[in-house]
Amino acid sequence: MVDYKQVLASTTLQPSRLDYIELLQQDVKQIQDRSFEGVQALEDSEDASRTPSAQIPQSYAHQLMLPYSVPCTLSISPSLGGYPVLPELAMSLRKILFGNTFYIFSYEWKKSFFKFRKPCSALSYALEAEKGGPRAIQMAVQAHIIKHLLFTQSADPERCNMEALGKVSEREQENALATALADILWKAGENCTATVALVTSEHCFTPCLDYKPDNFTERLQLFIFKKKEKMKIFIGEHIQCFNEEGSHGVILFLYSLIFSRSMARLQEDLDLTTTHLLYFSVGNFVCHQALLNLLLTGRASPNVFNGRQLHDEHGTSLVHPLNGVLTRGDVGYLYWSREQTEHAAETVVGSMLKTPKLPIWVCNINGTYSVLFSTKRSLLSDWKMEHHFHLCFYNGQPSQGNTTVLTIDTHSHHWEARRGDHGDPERRFPSVEMTIRTKWEGAAVDWNGTVPFF
């Protein structure tokens, strides 16, 4: 345990730094004081089936050992200020991410950043997102970028169209990204505080035996803000730390998100079903639903239903209540899995996520993330608009050259009767269409000349 009195005695601290030390002390103490006996038992069994070090494939174990460092040009100078990460906080960060202090991010995560498509092009509003674990975070940020460009940047409703999204300059891209990141962090901090994590050229602490270094987390410098606008300006001034190759931009944002929410709040958000934010699947770490909900609602709720579940399906009181979504956010969430449907185990998303304040949804379709959105703000406020409308679909993959525009008709004949192809089920019932029908049941979907995909 760090001797905070010694730190205070050896360093000249401003009041804000005292607040910071007290905040870290509270975080570490609350985590240590919590009893996780029941949770730990579940976590141990979960890790035994997902990511025990003894069962990680040898090729992946070798991959975890590969060195990967941020170029010096993308690291900030220690003289910029901020507060160096303390070892206890770094260990708590690892535990809330992976469930232990020995796992580190794979190369796929480390190379991921927020990369826009070509400015002033058909997809100039869009981020590139390769397949893999970071994609969920990139698509959630993408949804907030669309929110800013369509509904926040201008009060003029006439500007909310696809033509405007095709005229985004490089400077506007950077501003939209800074705004999106700031919006998410500020909400996670309950609209009163947020933390931005950047990496410096110097190590802040020497790792102990119970911690596996990655030459990145040990160099974090934390910047705490109590005003959203100042935070947004700061992110904008250091946008290269999030949008340039080699920056670890997605990981830096994830760290900032966790620090903004705080360890103590995260432990309150989670429940017995989810004790950390990432899990190991198909050779990589992927996001638990709790992390996605944190990105969308500001709270790391592990489940997609509304409210808290106090009873099981038989009406018996649960010893450990399950935490669902408590508030409606600006961006929503839709889910559909062909595999679950075939096994009659479909996950039902609650109205808090299905009906957001703005017509933008992050979609989890067969485990892959994408975005659906409408340029009409009134889609969710005027029921007559939902009879016949357009939705734009973007999947984040470099192979998509244009935004796919779908026409949704909720008053036509039943959609199944219009399908004559009895071959491939993906051609008969494309997964994108099935996802849309979880929100608008029975809707007919016209791809407007695009060959159905996804």
Side-chain angles (χ1 to χ4, degrees), residues 270-428:
L270 301 174
D271 60 28
L272 188 66
T273 65
T274 304
T275 58
H276 45 277
L277 301 177
L278 301 175
Y279 68 95
F280 192 77
S281 176
V282 197
N284 204 351
F285 288 103
V286 295
C287 300
H288 269 302
Q289 184 66 43
L291 178 51
L292 190 63
N293 285 350
L294 176 59
L295 289 159
L296 298 179
T297 70
R299 186 186 301 269
S301 310
N303 304 287
V304 294
F305 52 72
N306 292 349
R308 302 184 77 215
Q309 186 172 313
L310 304 177
H311 304 87
D312 62 19
E313 63 271 19
H314 305 295
T316 304
S317 296
L318 295 172
V319 177
H320 300 283
L322 304 180
N323 296 333
V325 179
L326 302 181
T327 58
R328 179 173 284 109
D330 292 330
V331 175
Y333 174 74
L334 298 177
Y335 173 88
W336 193 78
S337 167
R338 187 174 298 280
E339 181 180 0
Q340 279 197 12
T341 302
E342 291 172 351
H343 291 84
E346 189 173 358
T347 298
V348 179
V349 178
S351 60
M352 289 290 186
L353 289 174
K354 274 188 184 178
T355 309
K357 296 177 182 177
L358 296 171
I360 308 170
W361 295 266
V362 173
C363 301
N364 181 348
I365 307 175
N366 298 323
T368 302
Y369 291 88
S370 53
V371 177
L372 272 172
F373 63 97
S374 170
T375 60
K376 304 297 182 183
R377 181 192 289 265
S378 58
L379 177 63
L380 298 178
S381 59
D382 184 355
W383 61 270
K384 290 178 288 186
M385 289 284 295
E386 294 187 89
H387 292 168
H388 190 274
F389 58 96
H390 301 292
L391 286 178
C392 302
F393 178 72
Y394 177 64
N395 67 11
Q397 296 184 19
S399 59
Q400 184 173 356
N402 292 282
T403 305
T404 301
V405 179
L406 308 171
T407 300
I408 315 301
D409 186 350
T410 60
H411 274 190
S412 65
H413 297 295
H414 196 269
W415 56 274
E416 285 188 273
R418 301 178 61 182
R419 294 291 178 187
D421 184 0
H422 298 289
D424 183 1
E426 185 61 35
R427 286 184 174 274
R428 293 172 57 206

Side-chain angles (χ1 to χ4, degrees), residues 72-221:
C72 293
T73 54
L74 293 182
S75 61
I76 63 168
S77 169
S79 64
L80 185 63
Y83 312 111
V85 66
L86 298 179
E88 283 75 17
L89 194 60
M91 293 180 73
S92 297
L93 179 64
R94 285 278 182 84
K95 288 178 181 178
I96 204 68
L97 280 169
F98 306 109
N100 62 63
T101 59
F102 296 103
Y103 293 152
I104 62 176
F105 283 107
S106 64
Y107 173 74
E108 283 72 19
W109 275 88
K110 291 176 181 177
K111 73 174 184 176
S112 296
F113 59 103
F114 298 102
K115 179 183 179 182
F116 275 96
R117 306 293 284 265
K118 184 179 179 181
C120 300
S121 67
L123 289 174
S124 57
Y125 71 91
L127 296 174
E128 283 189 16
E130 299 286 353
K131 294 180 180 179
R135 181 170 177 161
I137 297 175
Q138 290 169 319
M139 287 294 97
V141 172
Q142 175 69 82
H144 282 82
I145 288 172
I146 293 171
K147 164 195 161 184
H148 168 70
L149 293 174
L150 282 180
F151 304 117
T152 307
Q153 182 173 252
S154 175
D156 183 5
E158 296 300 322
R159 199 175 189 277
C160 299
N161 53 49
M162 289 306 301
E163 183 180 355
L165 292 183
K167 297 180 179 179
V168 181
S169 66
E170 183 176 359
R171 185 171 181 177
E172 288 174 321
Q173 287 177 337
E174 293 180 350
N175 181 62
L177 176 59
T179 301
L181 299 182
D183 282 350
I184 296 172
L185 296 180
W186 193 248
K187 194 160 192 176
E190 299 194 342
N191 301 316
C192 60
T193 184
T195 299
V196 178
L198 300 180
V199 65
T200 70
S201 56
E202 298 180 2
H203 285 74
C204 301
F205 66 91
T206 301
C208 61
L209 292 177
D210 294 333
Y211 173 93
K212 182 177 181 178
D214 59 13
N215 193 33
F216 176 71
T217 306
E218 304 84 56
R219 296 193 281 141
L220 289 181
Q221 200 85 353

